[in-house]
Amino acid sequence: MKIANVPSAPCWADLTTPDTQAAGRFYGAVFGWQVRQMPDPGASGYGVFALADGRTAGGLAASAAPDRPAAWMPYFQTEGVDAVIARVEANGGTVTAGPTDILELGRFAVCADPVGAVFGLWQRRDHPGFGVVNAMGGFCWFELATRDLSVPADFYAAILGWATTSPAAPGGYRMWTVAGEPFGGLLKMNASFPPDIPPHWMVYVAVADCDATAARCARNGGTVLVPPTTIEQGRFTVLSDPQGAVFAALALNPLSGLGELS
């Protein structure tokens, strides 16, 4: 799988959680990430998850309200946040935060698509986004789960220019592409999803051993929601951290045709 370094591609993901210290300990134990705080007071305590070599994997922020659920959110790159949010609103989505400038780092907005899945937009300046992606310990796949495939497909095509591949698996699973490169999936939520779970974006972290990752999650207070499962593309598991944020881990099959992880 590949993520193109072009506008409209995924460029960042961050965790909003009521307990940043606990989250730092958990993800450090599961993925080996370290937490580094942004030094500027204007960053409001925002931190980054980094690999041991210093490359940044994602972000970490305290919840604005104590009752706000912990959650991971992907951001998509744009050369003009304001122009994109105009298309969001014109195509049935909503803008829930921003657009706002963050110091000299960039400009962002948080939106919801017509089925309710939340995502971010990032117009980069000094902060380019991921320091590591499509490599061990970095994010490698971005998946939208929804009960209606046609509405999101049309929406993201209109606002970000994405395309989708033809369904190639039972259940109509499609891949998102930008500039011809796949970076994520569009999954139809079936009866295995509890009815109270809304449409949502799922972020995947690349790992060498899916089973060992799931075991570390459980040992450190997290929950294994979907046990390690083998698919054509590799072996994956869906996990929840102790505060309830859901994410996935993927050990890619090098013969899957989706590229290689470094």
Side-chain angles (χ1 to χ4, degrees):
M1 66 195 67
K2 299 178 180 179
I3 298 175
N5 184 23
V6 296
S8 298
C11 64
W12 193 241
D14 64 16
L15 170 67
T16 302
T17 178
D19 192 336
T20 56
Q21 291 188 345
R25 292 191 296 270
F26 173 79
Y27 289 98
V30 174
F31 294 128
W33 290 349
Q34 302 170 359
V35 176
R36 299 182 178 181
Q37 295 297 323
M38 301 280 288
D40 195 305
S44 302
Y46 193 88
V48 296
F49 288 115
L51 304 189
D53 62 10
R55 290 178 295 168
T56 53
L60 173 65
S63 301
D67 59 347
R68 179 178 174 182
W72 280 98
M73 183 174 70
Y75 290 76
F76 306 113
Q77 181 179 318
T78 172
E79 294 180 342
V81 164
D82 297 76
V84 176
I85 64 173
R87 295 196 293 272
V88 167
E89 294 174 324
N91 286 277
T94 56
V95 179
T96 63
T100 303
D101 291 314
I102 303 297
L103 305 174
E104 298 301 318
L105 301 175
R107 185 168 175 81
F108 87 102
V110 178
C111 305
D113 66 23
V115 298
V118 178
F119 63 96
L121 298 169
W122 182 251
Q123 181 179 341
R124 64 182 187 178
R125 292 172 184 156
D126 290 350
H127 178 59
F130 290 124
V132 55
V133 68
N134 199 36
M136 295 301 170
F139 289 99
C140 64
W141 198 245
F142 300 81
E143 186 175 80
L144 175 61
T146 175
R147 294 176 177 85
D148 184 340
L149 300 184
S150 61
V151 170
D154 292 343
F155 173 79
Y156 290 102
I159 71 161
L160 291 169
W162 295 354
T164 56
T165 60
S166 299
Y173 193 89
R174 308 178 191 179
M175 290 191 294
W176 296 111
T177 65
V178 61
E181 300 287 1
F183 65 86
L186 179 57
L187 171 69
K188 185 175 178 61
M189 298 170 71
N190 57 27
S192 67
F193 286 82
D196 59 333
I197 294 182
H200 58 276
W201 279 97
M202 176 82 73
V203 293
Y204 284 70
V205 178
V207 298
D209 188 326
C210 180
D211 296 71
T213 301
R216 289 195 297 273
C217 172
R219 283 199 307 270
N220 287 278
T223 303
V224 179
L225 301 175
V226 177
T229 302
T230 299
I231 56 176
E232 180 182 354
Q233 291 76 19
R235 191 162 171 81
F236 82 99
T237 182
V238 179
L239 309 168
S240 171
D241 70 23
Q243 286 72 49
V246 178
F247 61 99
L250 172 66
L252 183 68
N253 174 4
L255 302 179
S256 67
L258 290 179
E260 296 182 357
L261 296 176
S262 57

